Coordinates of all heavy atoms in Angstrom, one line a residue:
N28 N -55.7 91.3 24.3 CA -54.3 91.3 24.8 C -54.3 92.0 26.2 O -54.7 93.1 26.4 CB -53.5 92.1 23.7 CG -52.0 92.1 24.0 OD1 -51.6 92.2 25.2 ND2 -51.2 92.1 23.0
A29 N -53.7 91.3 27.1 CA -53.7 91.7 28.5 C -52.9 93.0 28.7 O -53.2 93.9 29.5 CB -53.2 90.6 29.4
V30 N -51.8 93.1 28.0 CA -50.9 94.3 28.1 C -51.7 95.6 27.6 O -51.7 96.6 28.3 CB -49.6 94.1 27.3 CG1 -48.8 95.4 27.3 CG2 -48.8 93.0 27.8
S31 N -52.5 95.4 26.5 CA -53.2 96.6 26.1 C -54.3 97.0 27.1 O -54.5 98.2 27.3 CB -53.9 96.2 24.7 OG -53.0 96.0 23.7
V32 N -54.9 96.0 27.7 CA -55.9 96.3 28.7 C -55.3 97.1 29.9 O -55.8 98.1 30.4 CB -56.6 95.0 29.2 CG1 -57.5 95.3 30.4 CG2 -57.4 94.4 28.1
L33 N -54.1 96.6 30.3 CA -53.4 97.2 31.5 C -53.0 98.7 31.1 O -53.1 99.6 31.9 CB -52.2 96.4 31.9 CG -52.5 95.1 32.6 CD1 -51.3 94.3 32.8 CD2 -53.3 95.4 33.9
V34 N -52.4 98.8 29.9 CA -52.0 100.2 29.5 C -53.2 101.1 29.4 O -53.2 102.3 29.8 CB -51.3 100.1 28.1 CG1 -51.1 101.5 27.5 CG2 -49.9 99.4 28.3
L35 N -54.3 100.6 28.8 CA -55.5 101.4 28.7 C -56.1 101.8 30.1 O -56.5 102.9 30.3 CB -56.6 100.7 27.9 CG -57.8 101.5 27.4 CD1 -57.4 102.7 26.6 CD2 -58.7 100.6 26.6
F36 N -56.1 100.8 31.0 CA -56.6 101.1 32.4 C -55.7 102.1 33.1 O -56.2 103.1 33.6 CB -56.6 99.8 33.2 CG -57.0 99.9 34.6 CD1 -58.4 100.1 34.9 CD2 -56.1 99.9 35.6 CE1 -58.8 100.3 36.2 CE2 -56.5 100.1 36.9 CZ -57.9 100.3 37.2
Y37 N -54.4 101.9 33.0 CA -53.5 102.9 33.7 C -53.6 104.3 33.0 O -53.5 105.3 33.6 CB -52.1 102.4 33.7 CG -51.1 103.2 34.5 CD1 -51.3 103.4 35.9 CD2 -50.1 104.0 33.8 CE1 -50.4 104.2 36.6 CE2 -49.3 104.8 34.5 CZ -49.4 104.9 35.9 OH -48.6 105.7 36.6
G38 N -53.6 104.2 31.6 CA -53.7 105.5 30.9 C -55.0 106.2 31.2 O -55.0 107.4 31.3
G39 N -56.1 105.5 31.3 CA -57.4 106.1 31.7 C -57.3 106.7 33.1 O -57.8 107.8 33.3
H40 N -56.6 106.0 34.0 CA -56.4 106.6 35.3 C -55.6 107.9 35.2 O -55.9 108.9 35.9 CB -55.6 105.6 36.2 CG -55.2 106.2 37.5 ND1 -56.0 106.5 38.5 CD2 -53.9 106.5 37.9 CE1 -55.4 106.9 39.5 NE2 -54.1 107.0 39.2
L41 N -54.5 108.0 34.4 CA -53.7 109.2 34.2 C -54.5 110.3 33.6 O -54.4 111.5 33.9 CB -52.5 108.9 33.4 CG -51.4 108.0 34.0 CD1 -50.3 107.7 33.0 CD2 -50.9 108.6 35.3
V42 N -55.4 109.9 32.6 CA -56.3 111.0 32.0 C -57.3 111.5 33.1 O -57.5 112.8 33.1 CB -57.1 110.4 30.8 CG1 -58.1 111.3 30.3 CG2 -56.1 110.0 29.7
L43 N -57.8 110.7 33.9 CA -58.8 111.1 34.9 C -58.1 112.0 36.0 O -58.7 112.9 36.5 CB -59.5 109.9 35.6 CG -60.5 109.2 34.7 CD1 -61.0 108.0 35.4 CD2 -61.6 110.1 34.2
T44 N -56.9 111.7 36.3 CA -56.1 112.6 37.3 C -55.5 113.8 36.6 O -55.0 114.7 37.4 CB -55.0 111.7 37.9 OG1 -54.1 111.3 37.0 CG2 -55.6 110.6 38.7
G45 N -55.6 113.9 35.3 CA -55.1 115.2 34.6 C -53.6 115.1 34.3 O -53.1 116.1 33.8
T46 N -53.0 114.0 34.6 CA -51.5 113.9 34.2 C -51.3 113.7 32.7 O -50.3 114.1 32.2 CB -50.9 112.6 35.0 OG1 -51.3 112.7 36.3 CG2 -49.5 112.5 34.8
L47 N -52.3 113.1 32.0 CA -52.1 112.8 30.6 C -53.4 113.3 29.9 O -54.5 113.2 30.5 CB -52.0 111.3 30.4 CG -51.6 110.8 29.1 CD1 -50.2 111.2 28.7 CD2 -51.7 109.2 29.1
K48 N -53.3 113.8 28.7 CA -54.4 114.2 27.9 C -55.0 113.0 27.2 O -54.3 112.0 26.9 CB -54.1 115.3 26.9 CG -53.6 116.6 27.6 CD -53.3 117.6 26.6 CE -52.8 118.9 27.2 NZ -52.3 119.9 26.3
G49 N -56.3 113.0 26.8 CA -56.9 111.9 26.1 C -56.3 111.7 24.8 O -56.1 110.5 24.4
G50 N -56.0 112.7 24.1 CA -55.3 112.6 22.7 C -54.0 111.9 22.8 O -53.6 111.1 21.9
Q51 N -53.3 112.2 23.9 CA -52.0 111.5 24.1 C -52.1 110.0 24.3 O -51.3 109.2 23.9 CB -51.2 112.2 25.2 CG -50.8 113.6 25.0 CD -50.2 114.3 26.2 OE1 -50.6 114.0 27.3 NE2 -49.2 115.1 26.0
L52 N -53.1 109.7 25.1 CA -53.4 108.3 25.4 C -53.8 107.5 24.1 O -53.3 106.4 23.8 CB -54.5 108.1 26.4 CG -54.9 106.7 26.7 CD1 -53.8 105.9 27.3 CD2 -56.1 106.6 27.7
V53 N -54.6 108.2 23.3 CA -55.0 107.5 22.0 C -53.8 107.4 21.1 O -53.6 106.3 20.5 CB -56.1 108.4 21.3 CG1 -56.4 107.9 19.9 CG2 -57.4 108.3 22.1
S54 N -53.0 108.4 21.0 CA -51.8 108.3 20.2 C -50.9 107.2 20.7 O -50.3 106.4 19.9 CB -51.0 109.6 20.2 OG -51.7 110.6 19.6
F55 N -50.7 107.1 22.0 CA -49.8 106.1 22.5 C -50.4 104.7 22.2 O -49.6 103.8 21.9 CB -49.6 106.3 24.1 CG -48.8 105.2 24.7 CD1 -47.4 105.3 24.5 CD2 -49.3 104.1 25.3 CE1 -46.6 104.3 25.1 CE2 -48.5 103.2 25.9 CZ -47.1 103.3 25.8
M56 N -51.7 104.5 22.4 CA -52.3 103.2 22.1 C -52.1 102.8 20.6 O -51.8 101.7 20.3 CB -53.8 103.2 22.4 CG -54.1 103.3 23.9 SD -53.4 102.0 24.9 CE -54.4 100.6 24.3
L57 N -52.2 103.8 19.7 CA -52.0 103.5 18.3 C -50.6 103.1 18.0 O -50.3 102.2 17.3 CB -52.5 104.7 17.4 CG -54.0 105.0 17.4 CD1 -54.2 106.3 16.7 CD2 -54.7 103.8 16.8
Y58 N -49.6 103.8 18.6 CA -48.2 103.5 18.5 C -47.9 102.1 19.0 O -47.2 101.3 18.4 CB -47.3 104.5 19.1 CG -47.3 105.9 18.5 CD1 -47.4 107.0 19.3 CD2 -47.3 106.0 17.1 CE1 -47.4 108.3 18.7 CE2 -47.3 107.3 16.5 CZ -47.3 108.4 17.3 OH -47.3 109.6 16.7
Q59 N -48.5 101.8 20.2 CA -48.3 100.5 20.8 C -48.9 99.4 19.9 O -48.2 98.3 19.8 CB -49.0 100.5 22.2 CG -48.7 99.2 22.9 CD -49.9 98.6 23.5 OE1 -51.0 99.1 23.4 NE2 -49.8 97.5 24.2
Q60 N -50.0 99.6 19.3 CA -50.6 98.6 18.4 C -49.7 98.4 17.2 O -49.5 97.2 16.7 CB -52.0 99.0 18.0 CG -53.0 98.8 19.1 CD -54.4 99.2 18.7 OE1 -54.6 99.8 17.6 NE2 -55.4 99.0 19.5
T61 N -49.2 99.5 16.6 CA -48.3 99.3 15.5 C -47.0 98.6 15.8 O -46.6 97.7 15.1 CB -48.0 100.8 14.9 OG1 -49.2 101.5 14.6 CG2 -47.1 100.7 13.7
L62 N -46.5 98.9 16.9 CA -45.3 98.2 17.4 C -45.5 96.8 17.7 O -44.7 95.9 17.3 CB -44.7 98.9 18.6 CG -43.4 98.5 19.1 CD1 -42.3 98.7 18.1 CD2 -43.0 99.1 20.4
S63 N -46.7 96.5 18.3 CA -47.0 95.1 18.6 C -47.2 94.3 17.3 O -46.7 93.1 17.2 CB -48.3 95.1 19.4 OG -48.7 93.7 19.6
A64 N -47.8 94.9 16.3 CA -48.0 94.2 15.0 C -46.6 93.9 14.3 O -46.4 92.9 13.7 CB -48.9 95.0 14.1
A65 N -45.7 94.9 14.5 CA -44.4 94.7 13.9 C -43.7 93.5 14.6 O -43.0 92.7 13.9 CB -43.6 96.0 14.0
F66 N -43.7 93.5 15.9 CA -43.1 92.4 16.6 C -43.7 91.0 16.3 O -43.0 90.0 16.1 CB -43.1 92.6 18.1 CG -42.1 93.6 18.6 CD1 -42.4 94.6 19.4 CD2 -40.7 93.4 18.2 CE1 -41.5 95.5 19.8 CE2 -39.8 94.3 18.6 CZ -40.1 95.4 19.5
Q67 N -45.0 91.0 16.1 CA -45.7 89.8 15.7 C -45.2 89.3 14.3 O -45.0 88.2 14.1 CB -47.2 90.0 15.7 CG -48.0 88.7 15.4 CD -49.5 88.9 15.5 OE1 -50.0 90.0 15.7 NE2 -50.2 87.8 15.4
S68 N -45.1 90.3 13.4 CA -44.6 89.9 12.0 C -43.2 89.4 12.1 O -42.9 88.4 11.4 CB -44.6 91.2 11.1 OG -45.9 91.6 10.9
I69 N -42.3 90.0 12.9 CA -41.0 89.4 13.1 C -41.0 88.0 13.6 O -40.3 87.1 13.2 CB -40.2 90.4 14.0 CG1 -39.9 91.7 13.3 CG2 -38.8 89.7 14.4 CD1 -39.2 92.7 14.2
G70 N -41.9 87.8 14.6 CA -42.0 86.4 15.1 C -42.5 85.4 14.1 O -42.0 84.3 14.0
D71 N -43.5 85.8 13.3 CA -44.0 85.0 12.2 C -42.9 84.6 11.2 O -42.8 83.5 10.7 CB -45.2 85.6 11.5 CG -46.4 85.7 12.4 OD1 -46.5 85.0 13.4 OD2 -47.3 86.5 12.0
I72 N -42.1 85.6 10.8 CA -41.0 85.4 9.9 C -40.0 84.4 10.5 O -39.5 83.5 9.8 CB -40.3 86.7 9.5 CG1 -41.3 87.6 8.6 CG2 -39.0 86.5 8.8 CD1 -40.8 89.0 8.4
F73 N -39.6 84.6 11.8 CA -38.7 83.8 12.4 C -39.2 82.3 12.5 O -38.5 81.4 12.2 CB -38.4 84.2 13.9 CG -37.4 83.4 14.6 CD1 -36.1 83.4 14.3 CD2 -37.8 82.5 15.6 CE1 -35.1 82.7 14.9 CE2 -36.9 81.7 16.3 CZ -35.6 81.8 15.9
T74 N -40.5 82.2 12.8 CA -41.1 80.8 12.8 C -41.0 80.2 11.4 O -40.7 79.0 11.3 CB -42.6 80.9 13.2 OG1 -42.6 81.5 14.5 CG2 -43.2 79.6 13.2
G75 N -41.3 80.9 10.3 CA -41.2 80.4 9.0 C -39.8 80.0 8.6 O -39.5 79.0 8.0
L76 N -38.8 80.9 9.0 CA -37.4 80.5 8.7 C -37.0 79.3 9.5 O -36.2 78.5 8.9 CB -36.5 81.7 9.1 CG -36.6 82.9 8.2 CD1 -35.7 84.1 8.8 CD2 -36.1 82.6 6.8
T77 N -37.4 79.1 10.7 CA -37.1 77.9 11.5 C -37.6 76.7 10.8 O -36.9 75.7 10.7 CB -37.6 78.1 12.9 OG1 -37.1 79.3 13.5 CG2 -37.2 76.9 13.7
A78 N -38.9 76.8 10.3 CA -39.5 75.6 9.7 C -38.7 75.3 8.3 O -38.5 74.2 8.0 CB -40.9 75.9 9.4
A79 N -38.3 76.4 7.6 CA -37.6 76.2 6.4 C -36.2 75.5 6.6 O -35.8 74.6 5.9 CB -37.4 77.5 5.6
V80 N -35.6 75.9 7.7 CA -34.3 75.4 8.0 C -34.4 73.9 8.4 O -33.6 73.0 7.9 CB -33.6 76.1 9.1 CG1 -32.4 75.4 9.7 CG2 -33.1 77.5 8.6
G81 N -35.5 73.6 9.1 CA -35.7 72.2 9.5 C -36.0 71.3 8.3 O -35.5 70.2 8.1
A82 N -36.8 71.9 7.3 CA -37.1 71.1 6.1 C -35.9 70.9 5.2 O -35.7 69.9 4.7 CB -38.2 71.8 5.3
A83 N -35.1 72.0 5.1 CA -33.8 71.9 4.3 C -32.9 70.9 4.9 O -32.2 70.1 4.2 CB -33.2 73.2 4.2
D84 N -32.8 70.8 6.3 CA -32.0 69.8 6.9 C -32.4 68.4 6.6 O -31.6 67.6 6.3 CB -32.0 70.1 8.4 CG -31.1 69.2 9.2 OD1 -29.9 69.0 8.7 OD2 -31.5 68.6 10.3
K85 N -33.7 68.2 6.6 CA -34.2 66.9 6.2 C -33.9 66.5 4.8 O -33.5 65.4 4.4 CB -35.7 66.8 6.5 CG -36.4 65.5 6.2 CD -35.8 64.4 7.2 CE -36.6 63.1 6.9 NZ -36.0 62.0 7.7
V86 N -34.1 67.5 3.9 CA -33.8 67.3 2.4 C -32.3 66.9 2.3 O -32.0 65.9 1.6 CB -34.1 68.5 1.6 CG1 -33.5 68.4 0.2 CG2 -35.6 68.7 1.5
F87 N -31.4 67.6 2.9 CA -30.0 67.3 2.8 C -29.6 66.0 3.4 O -28.7 65.3 2.9 CB -29.1 68.5 3.3 CG -29.1 69.7 2.5 CD1 -29.6 70.9 3.0 CD2 -28.6 69.6 1.2 CE1 -29.6 72.0 2.2 CE2 -28.6 70.8 0.4 CZ -29.1 72.0 0.9
E88 N -30.3 65.7 4.5 CA -30.1 64.4 5.1 C -30.5 63.2 4.1 O -29.8 62.2 4.0 CB -31.0 64.3 6.3 CG -30.9 62.9 7.1 CD -31.8 62.9 8.3 OE1 -31.9 63.9 9.0 OE2 -32.5 61.8 8.4
L89 N -31.6 63.4 3.4 CA -32.0 62.4 2.4 C -31.0 62.4 1.2 O -30.7 61.3 0.6 CB -33.4 62.7 1.9 CG -34.5 62.4 3.0 CD1 -35.8 62.9 2.5 CD2 -34.5 61.0 3.4
I90 N -30.5 63.6 0.8 CA -29.6 63.6 -0.4 C -28.3 62.9 -0.1 O -27.8 62.1 -0.9 CB -29.3 65.1 -0.8 CG1 -30.6 65.7 -1.4 CG2 -28.2 65.2 -1.7 CD1 -30.5 67.2 -1.7
Y91 N -27.8 63.1 1.1 CA -26.5 62.6 1.4 C -26.5 61.2 2.1 O -25.5 60.7 2.6 CB -25.7 63.6 2.3 CG -25.4 64.8 1.5 CD1 -25.8 66.1 2.0 CD2 -24.7 64.8 0.3 CE1 -25.6 67.2 1.3 CE2 -24.4 66.0 -0.4 CZ -24.8 67.2 0.1 OH -24.6 68.3 -0.6
R92 N -27.6 60.6 2.2 CA -27.7 59.3 2.9 C -27.0 58.2 2.1 O -26.9 58.3 0.8 CB -29.1 58.9 3.2 CG -29.9 58.5 2.0 CD -31.3 58.1 2.4 NE -32.1 57.8 1.2 CZ -32.2 56.6 0.6 NH1 -31.6 55.6 1.1 NH2 -33.0 56.5 -0.5
V93 N -26.5 57.2 2.8 CA -25.8 56.1 2.1 C -26.8 54.9 2.1 O -27.3 54.5 3.1 CB -24.5 55.7 2.9 CG1 -23.9 54.5 2.3 CG2 -23.6 56.9 3.0
P94 N -27.1 54.3 0.9 CA -28.0 53.2 0.8 C -27.5 52.0 1.7 O -26.3 51.7 1.7 CB -28.0 52.9 -0.7 CG -27.5 54.0 -1.4 CD -26.5 54.7 -0.4
E95 N -28.5 51.4 2.3 CA -28.2 50.2 3.1 C -27.9 49.0 2.2 O -27.1 48.1 2.6 CB -29.3 49.9 4.1 CG -29.5 50.9 5.1 CD -30.6 50.6 6.1 OE1 -31.2 49.5 5.9 OE2 -30.9 51.4 6.9
L96 N -28.6 48.9 1.1 CA -28.4 47.8 0.1 C -27.4 48.1 -1.0 O -27.4 49.3 -1.5 CB -29.7 47.4 -0.5 CG -30.8 47.0 0.5 CD1 -32.1 46.8 -0.3 CD2 -30.4 45.8 1.3
E97 N -26.6 47.1 -1.3 CA -25.7 47.3 -2.4 C -26.4 47.3 -3.7 O -27.2 46.4 -4.0 CB -24.6 46.3 -2.3 CG -23.5 46.4 -3.3 CD -22.4 45.3 -3.2 OE1 -22.3 44.8 -2.1 OE2 -21.8 45.0 -4.2
V98 N -26.0 48.2 -4.6 CA -26.6 48.1 -6.0 C -25.9 47.1 -6.8 O -24.7 47.2 -7.0 CB -26.5 49.5 -6.6 CG1 -27.1 49.5 -8.0 CG2 -27.2 50.6 -5.8
K99 N -26.6 46.1 -7.3 CA -26.0 45.0 -8.0 C -26.4 44.9 -9.4 O -25.9 44.1 -10.2 CB -26.3 43.6 -7.3 CG -25.8 43.5 -5.9 CD -26.2 42.2 -5.3 CE -25.8 42.1 -3.9 NZ -26.1 40.8 -3.3
G100 N -27.3 45.8 -9.8 CA -27.8 45.7 -11.2 C -26.7 46.0 -12.3 O -25.9 46.8 -12.1
E101 N -26.8 45.2 -13.3 CA -25.9 45.3 -14.4 C -26.6 45.5 -15.7 O -25.9 45.8 -16.7 CB -25.0 44.1 -14.5 CG -24.1 43.9 -13.3 CD -23.2 42.6 -13.4 OE1 -23.2 42.0 -14.5 OE2 -22.7 42.2 -12.4
Y102 N -27.9 45.4 -15.7 CA -28.7 45.5 -17.0 C -28.7 47.0 -17.4 O -29.1 47.9 -16.6 CB -30.1 45.0 -16.8 CG -30.9 45.2 -18.0 CD1 -30.7 44.4 -19.2 CD2 -31.9 46.1 -18.1 CE1 -31.5 44.6 -20.3 CE2 -32.7 46.3 -19.2 CZ -32.5 45.5 -20.3 OH -33.2 45.7 -21.4
A103 N -28.3 47.2 -18.6 CA -28.4 48.6 -19.2 C -29.0 48.4 -20.6 O -28.4 47.8 -21.5 CB -27.1 49.2 -19.3
P104 N -30.2 49.0 -20.9 CA -30.8 48.9 -22.2 C -29.9 49.6 -23.2 O -29.2 50.6 -22.9 CB -32.1 49.7 -22.1 CG -32.1 50.3 -20.8 CD -31.0 49.8 -19.9
A105 N -30.0 49.1 -24.5 CA -29.1 49.7 -25.5 C -29.5 51.1 -25.9 O -28.7 51.9 -26.2 CB -29.2 48.7 -26.8
C106 N -30.8 51.4 -25.8 CA -31.3 52.7 -26.3 C -32.4 53.1 -25.3 O -33.3 52.4 -25.0 CB -31.8 52.6 -27.7 SG -32.5 54.2 -28.3
I107 N -32.3 54.3 -24.8 CA -33.3 54.9 -23.9 C -33.9 56.2 -24.6 O -33.2 57.1 -24.9 CB -32.7 55.3 -22.6 CG1 -32.2 54.0 -21.9 CG2 -33.8 55.9 -21.7 CD1 -31.5 54.3 -20.6
K108 N -35.2 56.2 -24.8 CA -35.8 57.3 -25.4 C -36.3 58.3 -24.4 O -36.3 59.5 -24.7 CB -37.1 56.9 -26.2 CG -36.8 56.1 -27.5 CD -38.1 56.0 -28.1 CE -38.4 55.1 -29.2 NZ -39.7 55.0 -29.6
G109 N -36.7 57.9 -23.2 CA -37.3 58.8 -22.2 C -38.7 58.9 -22.3 O -39.3 59.7 -21.6
D110 N -39.4 58.1 -23.1 CA -40.9 58.2 -23.2 C -41.5 57.2 -22.2 O -41.0 56.1 -22.0 CB -41.4 57.8 -24.6 CG -41.0 58.8 -25.6 OD1 -40.7 59.9 -25.3 OD2 -40.9 58.4 -26.8
V111 N -42.5 57.6 -21.5 CA -43.2 56.8 -20.5 C -44.7 56.8 -20.9 O -45.3 57.8 -21.1 CB -43.0 57.3 -19.1 CG1 -43.8 56.5 -18.1 CG2 -41.6 57.3 -18.7
E112 N -45.2 55.6 -21.0 CA -46.6 55.5 -21.4 C -47.3 54.7 -20.3 O -46.9 53.6 -19.9 CB -46.8 54.8 -22.7 CG -48.2 54.7 -23.2 CD -48.3 54.0 -24.6 OE1 -47.4 54.2 -25.4 OE2 -49.3 53.4 -24.8
L113 N -48.4 55.3 -19.8 CA -49.2 54.6 -18.7 C -50.6 54.3 -19.3 O -51.2 55.1 -20.0 CB -49.3 55.5 -17.5 CG -48.0 56.0 -16.9 CD1 -48.3 57.0 -15.8 CD2 -47.3 54.8 -16.3
K114 N -51.1 53.1 -19.1 CA -52.4 52.7 -19.5 C -53.2 52.2 -18.4 O -52.8 51.5 -17.5 CB -52.3 51.5 -20.6 CG -51.6 52.0 -21.9 CD -51.6 50.8 -22.8 CE -50.9 51.2 -24.1 NZ -50.8 50.1 -25.1
D115 N -54.5 52.7 -18.3 CA -55.4 52.3 -17.3 C -54.9 52.5 -15.9 O -54.9 51.6 -15.0 CB -55.9 50.8 -17.5 CG -56.8 50.7 -18.7 OD1 -57.5 51.7 -19.0 OD2 -56.8 49.6 -19.3
L116 N -54.3 53.6 -15.6 CA -53.7 53.9 -14.3 C -54.8 54.3 -13.3 O -55.7 55.1 -13.6 CB -52.8 55.1 -14.5 CG -52.1 55.6 -13.2 CD1 -51.1 54.6 -12.7 CD2 -51.4 56.9 -13.5
T117 N -54.7 53.6 -12.2 CA -55.6 54.0 -11.0 C -54.7 54.2 -9.8 O -53.7 53.6 -9.7 CB -56.6 52.8 -10.7 OG1 -55.9 51.6 -10.5 CG2 -57.6 52.6 -11.9
F118 N -55.2 55.1 -9.0 CA -54.4 55.5 -7.8 C -55.4 55.9 -6.7 O -56.4 56.6 -6.9 CB -53.5 56.6 -8.1 CG -52.7 57.1 -6.9 CD1 -51.7 56.3 -6.4 CD2 -53.1 58.2 -6.2 CE1 -51.0 56.7 -5.2 CE2 -52.4 58.6 -5.1 CZ -51.3 57.9 -4.6
A119 N -55.0 55.4 -5.4 CA -55.8 55.9 -4.2 C -54.8 56.0 -3.1 O -53.8 55.3 -3.1 CB -56.8 54.8 -3.9
Y120 N -55.0 57.0 -2.2 CA -54.1 57.1 -1.1 C -54.4 56.0 -0.1 O -55.5 55.5 0.1 CB -54.4 58.5 -0.4 CG -53.9 59.7 -1.3 CD1 -54.8 60.4 -2.0 CD2 -52.5 60.0 -1.3 CE1 -54.3 61.5 -2.8 CE2 -52.1 61.0 -2.1 CZ -53.0 61.8 -2.8 OH -52.6 62.8 -3.6
P121 N -53.3 55.5 0.6 CA -53.5 54.4 1.6 C -54.5 54.7 2.6 O -55.2 53.8 3.1 CB -52.1 54.3 2.2 CG -51.2 54.8 1.1 CD -51.9 55.9 0.5
A122 N -54.7 56.0 3.1 CA -55.6 56.3 4.1 C -57.1 56.2 3.7 O -58.0 55.9 4.5 CB -55.4 57.7 4.6
R123 N -57.3 56.3 2.4 CA -58.6 56.2 1.8 C -58.6 55.3 0.5 O -58.7 55.7 -0.6 CB -59.2 57.6 1.4 CG -59.4 58.5 2.6 CD -60.0 59.8 2.1 NE -60.2 60.6 3.3 CZ -60.7 61.8 3.2 NH1 -61.0 62.3 2.0 NH2 -60.9 62.6 4.2
A124 N -58.3 54.1 0.8 CA -58.1 53.1 -0.3 C -59.4 52.9 -1.1 O -59.3 52.5 -2.3 CB -57.6 51.8 0.2
D125 N -60.6 53.2 -0.5 CA -61.8 53.0 -1.3 C -62.2 54.2 -2.2 O -63.0 54.1 -3.0 CB -63.0 52.7 -0.3 CG -63.1 53.9 0.7 OD1 -62.1 54.6 1.0 OD2 -64.3 54.1 1.1
Q126 N -61.5 55.3 -2.1 CA -61.7 56.5 -2.9 C -60.6 56.6 -3.9 O -59.5 57.1 -3.6 CB -61.9 57.7 -2.1 CG -63.1 57.7 -1.2 CD -63.2 59.0 -0.4 OE1 -62.3 59.7 -0.2 NE2 -64.4 59.3 0.1
M127 N -60.9 56.3 -5.2 CA -59.8 56.4 -6.2 C -59.6 57.9 -6.6 O -60.6 58.6 -6.8 CB -60.2 55.6 -7.5 CG -60.2 54.1 -7.3 SD -58.5 53.6 -7.0 CE -58.8 51.9 -6.5
V128 N -58.4 58.3 -6.7 CA -58.0 59.6 -7.1 C -57.9 59.7 -8.6 O -58.4 60.6 -9.2 CB -56.7 60.1 -6.4 CG1 -56.3 61.5 -6.8 CG2 -56.9 60.0 -4.9
L129 N -57.3 58.7 -9.1 CA -57.1 58.6 -10.6 C -57.8 57.3 -11.1 O -57.5 56.2 -10.5 CB -55.6 58.6 -11.0 CG -54.8 59.8 -10.6 CD1 -53.3 59.6 -10.9 CD2 -55.3 61.0 -11.3
R130 N -58.5 57.4 -12.1 CA -59.2 56.2 -12.7 C -59.0 56.1 -14.2 O -59.4 57.1 -14.9 CB -60.7 56.2 -12.4 CG -61.0 55.9 -11.0 CD -62.6 55.7 -10.8 NE -62.9 55.6 -9.5 CZ -63.6 56.4 -8.8 NH1 -64.1 57.5 -9.3 NH2 -63.8 56.2 -7.5
G131 N -58.5 55.1 -14.7 CA -58.4 54.9 -16.1 C -57.6 55.9 -16.9 O -57.9 56.2 -18.0
L132 N -56.6 56.5 -16.3 CA -55.8 57.5 -16.9 C -54.9 56.9 -17.9 O -54.3 55.9 -17.7 CB -55.1 58.3 -15.8 CG -54.4 59.6 -16.3 CD1 -55.3 60.6 -16.8 CD2 -53.5 60.1 -15.2

């Protein structure tokens, strides 16, 4: 970090001229590192919150979208159990169509 180098350089100059004691410079550098870490954490949190707000905006956009096609279906089964049975299921991602992720499930 360039700021730490500059502070250490100037602090070293002050120690050599007798204006500042070595212990005071070390204490100041430790305080500066702690403060810098706190500001970095705040920045990381802000970045995470910004990403979460962007993702939530996309989710709400998808929830409230209006379909382009009209729903015309009228078929309704008499009884729905909610059971789904899959036989010999295979799946591969489009980017790697030759590598099956699921086989014969």
Side-chain angles (χ1 to χ4, degrees):
N28 184 327
V30 174
S31 296
V32 172
L33 289 174
V34 168
L35 190 58
F36 178 75
Y37 185 67
H40 172 70
L41 292 177
V42 169
L43 290 176
T44 59
T46 309
L47 190 68
K48 295 181 183 176
Q51 292 172 325
L52 176 61
V53 170
S54 294
F55 180 78
M56 291 300 294
L57 291 174
Y58 291 139
Q59 184 227 0
Q60 287 178 351
T61 303
L62 187 63
S63 176
F66 281 130
Q67 183 177 7
S68 295
I69 290 171
D71 292 342
I72 290 170
F73 181 74
T74 302
L76 287 174
T77 304
V80 167
D84 186 42
K85 183 66 176 174
V86 168
F87 286 118
E88 179 183 319
L89 292 172
I90 288 173
Y91 295 121
R92 73 181 174 89
V93 177
E95 293 179 5
L96 301 175
E97 183 180 332
V98 180
K99 298 179 184 179
E101 296 178 12
Y102 176 73
C106 178
I107 299 176
K108 289 188 196 177
D110 295 338
V111 176
E112 183 176 330
L113 304 172
K114 293 182 180 180
D115 292 329
L116 177 68
T117 57
F118 176 77
Y120 290 101
R123 295 184 178 176
D125 59 329
Q126 293 183 340
M127 291 294 171
V128 178
L129 299 175
R130 288 190 185 113
L132 187 67

